[in-house]
Amino acid sequence: MSIIGVGLPSSVDVGGRAFPINTSHHCGVRVGAILDDPAVADPVARAVVLRNYFGTVPTGSDADALFVAAMRFYRRGEDPPPQGKHKKPRSRVFDWEADANRLVADFQRFYGVDVTDQSLHIHWWRFMALLEGLPGDTSLTMQAISVRAR
């Protein structure tokens, strides 16, 4: 889904009902870190995702459907990748914890943005577009990703 011309979403649709969602990059990074942590059990991760995106599960809503909608928002409107029975799991090439310092430095260097500033709000989809747009030849983050991808 293109982020140009359609506007960035501020809610998710569950059963025809719009639920406001926390769109901040701070929230997205917390969600990414919890989802990437193998030490966090799935029910705990699900609860943390819901708490980060919605504060509390809204009364009269389906927590499972909200989680699915939150994950679709996290993936920027994309469906989850298909799970093949015989496919080898891919190694992660980016780690929210290990790459945090590189990411902070790159955003400051290339965009003049302090992503650690708690008062700063960058929409999650825009933040990810900026992350993916870091130059591969000079960005410390993209260099680390490139090395891991090999």
Side-chain angles (χ1 to χ4, degrees), residues 85-124:
K85 287 183 180 179
H86 304 289
K87 287 188 177 179
K88 188 169 96 174
R90 288 184 9 184
S91 302
R92 283 190 336 203
V93 295
F94 180 79
D95 184 292
W96 289 108
E97 297 296 326
D99 293 318
N101 291 341
R102 281 182 278 276
L103 183 91
V104 168
D106 280 344
F107 267 69
Q108 188 69 54
R109 179 177 169 205
F110 292 105
Y111 304 125
V113 173
D114 177 5
V115 293
T116 65
D117 179 352
Q118 289 298 307
S119 67
L120 177 68
H121 175 97
I122 303 173
H123 191 285
W124 175 245

Side-chain angles (χ1 to χ4, degrees), residues 1-2 68-81 125:
M1 175 183 298
S2 172
V68 169
M71 293 310 302
R72 186 166 174 79
F73 177 84
Y74 177 79
R75 289 188 310 272
R76 296 172 283 155
E78 298 295 321
D79 290 324
W125 292 18

